[in-house]
Amino acid sequence: MVDLRLAVAADIPTLERWEAAAHVVAISGDDEPWDWSVEIDVPWQEVWIAEVEGRGIGVVVLLDAHAEPSGYWGDVSPGTYAIDIWIGEPDALHRGYGTLMMRHALDRAFSEHDAQEILIDPLETNTDAIGFYKHLGFMEVGPRRFGTDDCLVLQMDRPARL
Ligand SMILES: CC(C)(COP(=O)(O)OP(=O)(O)OC[C@H]1O[C@@H](n2cnc3c(N)ncnc32)[C@H](O)[C@@H]1OP(=O)(O)O)[C@@H](O)C(=O)NCCC(=O)NCCS
């Protein structure tokens, strides 16, 4: 069982530690490090901490890709959301928690935010995560370079009946 709660300032050291974990660095590419004091506070994004029996294990970030001011995703339609996820505690990997974290973020996107489509951009080399996303129902859009990172964009459309 995984509980999800919004991140608060007291979570910042943990978020920084997870971001620096070897298995997270390995899949992070050359993006700038996250400035968590800003990330947890912006209105177009939700930063969710996943907890198992009261212990934080990872983070899932849901953001409005149309409203996000840097234009990272390019010229996307209103209703386009994006998700970032990682489990920071190595002993919590591959136990089904990531699936529950994604379900939470997908549910928020489609039910609370009326998202029309959700995008994900794993590094092309992160074949485990790509398999995980496809298993959840994401469809391959194609390769795309973000900065110096070669990524594979995947997309999930809003289910017909919601
Ligand atoms: C990617 C990540 C969030 C997945 O979370 P997880 O808890 O480890 O994954 P789960 O245990 O929930 O796996 C769920 C399902 O996906 C499937 N799956 C996982 N990897 C897969 C793969 N390579 N190919 C096919 N299916 C895969 C599993 O078989 C499992 O299915 P099952 O429940 O029917 O057995 C997690 O592994 C992680 O944080 N990895 C490091 C950081 C990372 O890569 N983040 C993504 C950046 S884009």
Side-chain angles (χ1 to χ4, degrees), residues 133-145:
Y133 294 133
K134 287 184 175 172
H135 187 81
L136 281 166
F138 280 83
M139 308 292 286
E140 220 173 289
V141 175
R144 181 160 163 193
R145 180 167 266 233

Side-chain angles (χ1 to χ4, degrees), residues 1 4 7 11 15 22-23 35 52 68-69 74 78 81-83 87 96 118-120 126 130 138 151 159-160:
M1 181 60 188
L4 277 302
D11 295 312
L15 287 162
H23 70 282
D35 181 349
V52 175
E68 184 274 319
Y81 279 68
I83 295 176
I87 291 173
I118 299 176
L119 300 173
I120 303 265
N126 193 357
I130 291 167
F138 280 83
C151 297

Side-chain angles (χ1 to χ4, degrees), residues 5 22 46 50 52 72-73 94 96 101 112 119 122-123 138 141:
R5 62 165 178 81
E46 297 174 356
V52 175
Y72 176 87
W73 282 98
H94 308 303
M101 292 162 70
E112 297 293 323
L119 300 173
L123 289 181
F138 280 83
V141 175

Side-chain angles (χ1 to χ4, degrees), residues 2 57 60 85 87 92-104 132 136:
V2 176
I57 57 143
V60 57
I85 181 171
I87 291 173
L93 290 163
H94 308 303
R95 292 169 170 244
Y97 300 144
T99 300
L100 297 174
M101 292 162 70
M102 284 297 292
R103 291 231 172 95
H104 174 79
F132 166 77
L136 281 166

Side-chain angles (χ1 to χ4, degrees), residues 2-109:
V2 176
D3 296 310
L4 277 302
R5 62 165 178 81
L6 286 169
V8 294
D11 295 312
I12 292 173
T14 305
L15 287 162
E16 289 173 347
R17 179 170 60 77
W18 288 341
E19 196 181 348
H23 70 282
V24 176
V25 170
I27 55 80
S28 295
D30 295 331
D31 284 350
E32 290 294 307
W34 295 58
D35 181 349
W36 291 107
S37 60
V38 175
E39 302 289 350
I40 63 174
D41 224 25
V42 290
W44 39 266
Q45 174 168 275
E46 297 174 356
V47 178
W48 292 94
I49 301 287
E51 291 181 339
V52 175
E53 292 173 0
R55 172 200 181 215
I57 57 143
V59 60
V60 57
V61 180
L62 173 66
L63 67 95
D64 181 335
H66 179 72
E68 184 274 319
S70 82
Y72 176 87
W73 282 98
D75 188 16
V76 293
S77 316
T80 306
Y81 279 68
I83 295 176
D84 283 294
I85 181 171
W86 57 88
I87 291 173
E89 302 295 344
D91 65 353
L93 290 163
H94 308 303
R95 292 169 170 244
Y97 300 144
T99 300
L100 297 174
M101 292 162 70
M102 284 297 292
R103 291 231 172 95
H104 174 79
L106 294 169
D107 191 46
R108 292 282 308 170

